[in-house]
Amino acid sequence: MIMRCGGGKVKSVLHNNVLQLRKMYPHSAVSYSATEKEETFTYVSADGEKHTVWYSSNQSVTDRLALIRAYGFRGGAFWAASYEAPTLWDAIHAAGV
């Protein structure tokens, strides 16, 4: 998902788009939000707009699965099918789900 800082338009993107953005803006540091359980990076586009990208990673899925177990939930959900990295399924299977 891409979100303009300070509000504004929000746009959902596929994992491949996240990878393309990382290549286009390699100096944008990736950080992990322990609160949101998501990886994120911020970049400034050629038109001067500031964008923040939030996306799931193997770590975020592993952390969410731990929360599901800790609270005794019977399941969880993803944003949308095919928006995730293919390796996320490895994290899900490794967690025994």
Side-chain angles (χ1 to χ4, degrees):
M1 175 183 344
I2 296 176
M3 182 180 345
R4 288 206 178 162
C5 294
K9 186 168 83 172
V10 175
K11 178 182 175 186
S12 296
V13 296
L14 298 172
H15 180 72
N16 286 342
N17 299 112
V18 172
L19 296 177
Q20 290 171 353
L21 288 168
R22 291 291 306 134
K23 286 181 184 177
M24 289 173 59
Y25 303 99
H27 299 295
S28 299
V30 173
S31 62
Y32 185 77
S33 170
T35 303
E36 303 297 335
K37 307 292 186 221
E38 292 278 335
E39 284 192 7
T40 184
F41 66 93
T42 299
Y43 68 92
V44 178
S45 60
D47 62 2
E49 294 280 346
K50 187 176 179 182
H51 302 271
T52 300
V53 180
W54 293 86
Y55 57 97
S56 294
S57 65
N58 287 14
Q59 183 62 51
S60 63
V61 169
T62 300
D63 288 350
R64 287 190 198 131
L65 292 172
L67 285 172
I68 288 168
R69 285 197 176 114
Y71 287 97
F73 296 146
R74 299 185 74 174
F78 285 98
W79 171 253
S82 299
Y83 279 71
E84 75 282 345
T87 59
L88 293 183
W89 293 105
D90 296 334
I92 292 168
H93 294 301
V97 177

